[in-house]
Amino acid sequence: MPSGPLRGTIRVPGDKSISHRSIMLGALAVGETRVTGLLEGEDVLSTAAAMRAMGASVERIGEGEWSVHGVGVGALLQPEAPLDMGNSGTSTRLLMGLVSSHAIETRFFGDASLSKRPMGRVIEPLSQMGAAFEAAEGDRLPLTVRGANPAVPITYRLPVASAQVKSAVLLAGLNTPGVTTVIEPVPTRDHSERMLRGFGAELEVEIDSEGVRTIRLRGEAELKPQTIEVPGDPSSAAFFIVAALIVPGSELTISNVGLNPTRAGIVEVLRQMGGDITELNPREVGGEPVADLLVRHSALMGIEVDPAIAPSMIDEFPALFVAAALAEGTTVTTGLEELRVKESDRISAMAAALTLAGARVAETEDGLTIHGTGGEALAGTGQAGGAVVTHLDHRIAMSMAIAGLASKAGVEVDDTRPIATSFPVFEALLEEVSG
Ligand code: S3P
């Protein structure tokens, strides 16, 4: 729907990546881990259910407040039934790592979107560690992992910039004798490293003069239970940042936004485009940098986005494309091949969606080139055009809902249910601030 200005203050829910990891590591630490600010989205609930199926106690005590009693590294039980991963790539790939060094057999399945996503990228290093896999064609779900015990420590250089692959190998390394090493030529989100250290694992990170990171984890680790406060998710905040920038008259404060440098690329790029974003009250929450963001409507300018920044905003490109569609001039993005294997092919899904909403977009192999309106509202989907196709992808649904706020006729989205995987209160918050 076209909207009035966005005003007021909102607080976005907990970070999805950190929420998954707090439940997984809590489930491996003997004793009680307390988590506050946990994201209660479907993806994280899939992780919680899986850890329960493998013997941990994972209980909700109050809103965002959870208690986890872990079984200890090496003591995961074989689940009695296949694990339903729903829409969640993070649950699947990280848990594949975890079970790979346990003497159990685990079967994973998921929804239509997850069943299309490549798992070969984790099967390869985990096979080197000794685990055996039976997967559907193309190394996809459903698949079965037979864990190795003992597993073999490896040194693995990441062929793709992927925090999920890095984390899968490190989590397998937890129950592997000796030192498991991951070499990361391009830095990706480092929540696993931070949290593993917080839980008492012996983990060191060396960064060479070229920025290549070598992460070493000593296996047969003993994890100690923790109290964790999950900061707000910058990936969820991104939709509201873009909304406030593109809707005239907006002045919105988004509190408690995680600004880990491996995640904060979107703020930098939007500022390069002329976005007025002020960081207030910088502080640390749960070992992560956090601030409140004050965002004011801005006349955005198209830019060429440096592909080197992509890993630090890999989930925010759909929202950025919407900002670009309202900017003055042309925005060029390149080096985004990874976007084609997310919950949907986000390059083609966003090209189709924005075109339907009246934006001028050209799709390339590895990105989008977008000619912005210079601030004039998009036409919107209207009656004749039909609805935007979201392909079971929460971020396409939310991005296009935001685009609708800066359109004449509104944007119709075919399926809003996937929003519940990462941001169940998205629609309620949007209603609250858009007057
Ligand atoms: C995530 C890593 C990223 C990201 C995903 C969450 C994580 O995936 O897109 O939403 O929590 O480790 P890749 O590792 O495939 O880039």
Side-chain angles (χ1 to χ4, degrees):
M1 283 302 248
S3 153
L6 280 73
R7 291 184 169 271
T9 300
I10 57 164
R11 195 182 160 90
V12 286
D15 188 277
K16 183 152 75 73
S17 294
I18 297 173
S19 295
H20 281 298
R21 287 158 172 82
S22 65
I23 292 192
M24 289 181 197
L25 296 190
L28 292 173
V30 176
E32 185 186 23
T33 288
R34 278 280 184 139
V35 188
T36 54
L38 188 92
L39 169 66
E40 295 173 335
E42 288 169 3
D43 282 9
V44 176
L45 299 182
S46 296
T47 290
M51 298 322 299
R52 269 189 216 112
M54 292 191 273
S57 136
V58 185
E59 274 175 73
R60 183 178 195 266
I61 304 170
E63 205 186 315
E65 200 177 338
W66 289 61
S67 165
V68 183
H69 286 266
V71 292
V73 170
L76 291 176
L77 301 178
Q78 177 162 313
E80 281 172 15
L83 299 178
D84 183 356
M85 299 286 95
N87 189 255
S88 179
T90 308
S91 310
T92 308
R93 296 199 178 110
L94 269 56
L95 290 175
M96 284 171 68
L98 209 50
V99 301
S100 280
S101 56
H102 282 72
I104 59 177
E105 184 174 310
T106 316
R107 189 158 175 81
F108 295 92
F109 70 100
D111 73 5
S113 153
L114 187 57
S115 305
K116 286 188 200 146
R117 299 183 66 187
M119 296 298 153
R121 55 181 60 197
V122 279
I123 291 177
E124 194 210 305
L126 297 173
S127 301
Q128 288 177 24
M129 295 180 82
F133 295 84
E134 263 164 43
E137 212 191 310
D139 284 337
R140 290 173 213 276
L141 257 46
L143 66 76
T144 300
V145 186
R146 257 183 298 283
N149 193 259
V152 185
I154 60 169
T155 294
Y156 191 68
R157 190 181 173 92
L158 292 178
V160 274
S162 166
Q164 292 179 354
V165 177
K166 168 175 64 176
S167 302
V169 174
L170 291 175
L171 291 176
L174 274 178
N175 196 40
T176 300
V179 175
T180 294
T181 306
V182 179
I183 300 170
E184 194 178 43
V186 181
T188 64
R189 65 190 70 196
D190 63 356
H191 307 301
S192 295
E193 295 94 304
R194 287 174 189 246
M195 202 181 286
L196 280 164
R197 271 221 194 98
F199 272 84
E202 268 182 62
L203 179 143
E204 53 178 62
V205 182
E206 201 185 296
I207 307 174
D208 76 8
S209 55
E210 256 120 66
V212 176
R213 291 157 48 94
T214 301
I215 304 151
R216 296 187 186 87
L217 172 77
R218 180 164 295 281
E220 301 193 293
E222 202 175 305
L223 301 186
K224 293 180 208 68
Q226 298 298 306
T227 300
I228 299 172
E229 189 180 349
V230 181
D233 197 326
S235 300
S236 296
F239 301 109
F240 283 90
I241 299 173
V242 169
L245 290 175
I246 64 175
V247 176
S250 296
E251 180 165 332
L252 184 67
T253 302
I254 308 163
S255 61
N256 187 39
V257 182
L259 291 175
N260 178 317
T262 62
R263 297 287 299 283
I266 183 69
V267 175
E268 193 180 325
V269 168
L270 289 170
R271 280 187 180 138
Q272 287 169 14
M273 295 172 77
D276 182 351
I277 305 169
T278 310
E279 280 168 44
L280 304 170
N281 190 16
R283 56 201 184 272
E284 243 194 39
V285 172
E288 300 267 348
V290 161
D292 304 328
L293 299 182
L294 170 62
V295 188
R296 294 191 186 93
H297 170 250
S298 306
L300 299 177
M301 306 286 292
I303 59 164
E304 219 168 279
V305 179
D306 179 358
I309 206 169
S312 68
M313 55 174 291
I314 196 67
D315 292 334
E316 284 64 77
F317 280 95
L320 176 74
F321 295 150
V322 173
L326 274 297
E328 166 102 49
T330 301
T331 297
V332 182
T333 57
T334 52
L336 304 182
E337 300 82 355
E338 274 295 299
L339 290 197
R340 295 206 183 269
V341 291
K342 295 295 179 189
E343 285 83 329
S344 69
D345 174 343
R346 287 181 174 159
I347 296 180
S348 76
M350 283 305 292
L354 282 171
T355 302
L356 192 67
R360 287 200 297 142
V361 180
E363 179 176 347
T364 59
E365 219 159 273
D366 63 344
L368 290 183
T369 297
I370 299 175
H371 305 287
T373 62
E376 197 193 318
L378 297 168
T381 56
Q383 290 298 313
V388 159
V389 185
T390 52
H391 302 279
L392 289 178
D393 188 335
H394 53 137
R395 299 204 198 280
I396 305 296
M398 289 186 277
S399 299
M400 293 312 296
I402 294 305
L405 303 177
S407 73
K408 291 171 190 140
V411 166
E412 200 186 325
V413 165
D414 70 339
D415 184 6
T416 55
R417 283 171 306 170
I419 293 173
T421 61
S422 71
F423 199 170
V425 297
F426 171 78
E427 285 155 286
L429 283 181
L430 196 54
E431 212 159 285
E432 190 184 309
V433 292
S434 52

